[in-house]
Amino acid sequence: MDIRQLKYFVAVANTRNFTRASEQLHIAQPPLSRQIQLLEEELGVQLLLRNSRPLRLTEAGRVFYEQALQILNRLDQLKNATQQIGLNQRQTLSIGFVASTLYGGLPMLVRKLRQHYPEVDIQLLELTSMQQFAALKSGRIDVGFGRIRSNDATVARIVLREEKLVLAIPPSFALAASNQRVSLKEVHGQKLIVYPKEPRPSFADHILSLLNDQDIHPAEVHEVREIQTALGLVAAESGICLIPASARLRNDLHYRLIDDARATSPIILTHRINDNAWYIEAVKRLVADMYAEHPAWLDIDTNSFPATGFPIPQRKPADPGDPGEG
């Protein structure tokens, strides 16, 4: 088995077609087929189901594909890192993120990374959670910050916190008459705006699944591409929207915290499994430092914290002059 065979197999697995793979690799189809056959003979297992159109991977083929991707990505990283050092170039750290993480801790974390590692070029790429998984595997990003859980065995996941959901409401709606926590059941029969429209699964599916689990049915569901559009439509009185607490962006809307322990959205740090690069521990350490500072957006009223080893912010003592909620 050699690197060339791994590249050949990954190309066939990606295209699900020997002809397209051979065109992509700029080789003839017969030698490509022969190399895949030799690979299967060496492994003693079938990797491809050739009688299906398009080609399908066997279960062994799927495992081999994921592992081959990791090996090829690590080789590319090794090559790039060596060249950067040899040419005295700046090292690059690529971070994928979903837009809503910009309203919480991501900007603070990036500032800390730049302060502690000024020699590193930090690149930020806005990607959905699902796009981040693919980008990690391809080497396009090094770490990701998303909101969707995945069972992908090639991606390591750390839930940094569970952010509570709030209901964004037009001030003219009856639901806006109170500042108290609101039951999720109040969404039943309302016009609901969800985002993003695509790609799926996404935060929209998380919200719809949460409602479906409790037999809550909106009168209408309007899907839009991004959170800014969703909140703009709420301001236009086109419906209501469930958003993470940190995303309360507009001051012309009314927000009520959802009174349901299950109504949360996780902030998840992802990286390639078995990736021991310096930036993994660096990011974890700086997240812990950030949590220990108790920033305003990290209050315990709108966040809950799993047992991950990160410091848990404490409720600040009440101001003696503060009349409180009651």
Side-chain angles (χ1 to χ4, degrees), residues 45-57:
V45 296
Q46 187 177 3
L47 300 175
L48 297 168
L49 297 174
R50 291 171 173 77
N51 58 353
S52 65
R53 292 294 180 272
L55 291 173
R56 290 169 52 208
L57 298 177

Side-chain angles (χ1 to χ4, degrees), residues 166-167 169 171 173-183 248 253-259 324-325:
V166 299
L167 191 62
I169 315 163
F173 280 29
L175 282 171
S178 171
N179 291 321
Q180 299 299 314
R181 297 189 181 212
V182 62
S183 170
R248 290 171 284 186
L253 298 179
H254 191 79
Y255 301 100
R256 294 179 66 179
L257 195 63
I258 299 296
D259 189 18
E325 294 183 359

Side-chain angles (χ1 to χ4, degrees), residues 7 12 18 39 42 45 60 100 178 197 201 212 232 318-319 323:
K7 290 181 176 179
V12 172
F18 275 102
L39 186 60
E42 179 179 350
V45 296
S100 61
S178 171
K197 185 175 184 178
N212 188 59
D319 188 330

Side-chain angles (χ1 to χ4, degrees), residues 11-304:
V12 172
N14 284 336
T15 61
R16 303 297 173 98
N17 184 286
F18 275 102
T19 301
R20 285 198 295 272
S22 63
E23 292 171 352
Q24 187 180 96
L25 295 165
H26 305 292
I27 63 171
Q29 184 174 333
L32 172 61
S33 299
R34 179 57 180 162
Q35 287 300 321
I36 301 299
Q37 183 180 359
L38 290 172
L39 186 60
E40 289 178 318
E41 290 175 357
E42 179 179 350
L43 294 169
V45 296
Q46 187 177 3
L47 300 175
L48 297 168
L49 297 174
R50 291 171 173 77
N51 58 353
S52 65
R53 292 294 180 272
L55 291 173
R56 290 169 52 208
L57 298 177
T58 64
E59 186 61 33
R62 281 193 290 272
V63 172
F64 188 81
Y65 171 72
E66 298 291 354
Q67 296 298 318
L69 269 183
Q70 290 190 53
I71 292 170
L72 294 175
N73 290 337
R74 292 296 292 162
L75 284 172
D76 286 340
Q77 292 170 18
L78 174 62
K79 177 182 175 181
N80 292 335
T82 304
Q83 289 175 334
Q84 286 172 353
I85 294 171
L87 298 173
N88 197 28
Q89 293 178 344
R90 288 165 61 87
Q91 190 170 1
T92 298
L93 172 60
S94 295
I95 300 174
F97 67 96
V98 295
S100 61
T101 57
L102 288 176
Y103 313 124
L106 184 60
M108 186 177 182
L109 175 62
V110 173
R111 289 196 301 271
K112 285 182 174 293
L113 281 167
R114 287 181 169 143
Q115 290 166 3
H116 285 78
Y117 303 97
E119 74 285 358
V120 176
D121 183 15
I122 297 174
Q123 298 179 349
L124 297 171
L125 288 83
E126 182 180 355
L127 300 167
T128 68
S129 297
M130 299 307 294
Q131 289 170 337
Q132 287 179 37
F133 300 143
L136 283 169
K137 287 187 251 185
S138 69
R140 186 183 176 197
I141 63 173
D142 301 303
V143 296
F145 292 90
R147 290 188 179 273
I148 302 299
R149 292 178 170 87
S150 167
N151 295 322
D152 194 319
T154 67
V155 176
R157 297 169 298 280
I158 302 172
V159 177
L160 301 180
R161 70 181 190 276
E162 291 279 353
E163 189 173 358
K164 297 180 182 179
L165 299 180
V166 299
L167 191 62
I169 315 163
S172 63
F173 280 29
L175 282 171
S178 171
N179 291 321
Q180 299 299 314
R181 297 189 181 212
V182 62
S183 170
L184 198 59
K185 294 185 183 300
E186 293 293 344
V187 176
H188 189 87
Q190 299 279 349
K191 292 183 179 179
L192 181 68
I193 301 163
V194 298
Y195 68 91
K197 185 175 184 178
E198 55 187 20
R200 309 296 276 270
S202 67
F203 181 72
D205 296 291
H206 172 63
I207 293 299
L208 295 175
S209 177
L210 182 66
L211 296 175
N212 188 59
D213 288 347
Q214 300 190 42
D215 199 29
I216 298 170
H217 304 288
E220 179 182 316
V221 176
H222 186 180
E223 299 179 355
V224 297
R225 293 188 181 279
E226 56 186 24
I227 186 172
Q228 291 86 351
T229 305
L231 294 180
L233 289 177
V234 174
E237 301 183 353
S238 297
I240 58 178
C241 183
L242 286 160
I243 62 172
S246 65
R248 290 171 284 186
L249 310 176
R250 300 181 63 116
N251 57 16
D252 57 347
L253 298 179
H254 191 79
Y255 301 100
R256 294 179 66 179
L257 195 63
I258 299 296
D259 189 18
D260 188 322
R262 295 164 292 183
T264 64
S265 175
I267 301 292
I268 305 173
L269 167 65
T270 56
H271 62 83
R272 286 176 289 273
I273 199 79
N274 298 325
D275 187 349
N276 297 316
W278 66 270
Y279 46 77
I280 303 299
E281 287 306 315
V283 167
K284 291 179 183 178
R285 186 182 72 254
L286 292 179
V287 167
D289 291 347
M290 190 169 66
Y291 278 23
E293 293 176 19
H294 303 171
W297 47 264
L298 200 64
D299 65 279
I300 62 173
D301 288 327
T302 57
N303 293 278
S304 58

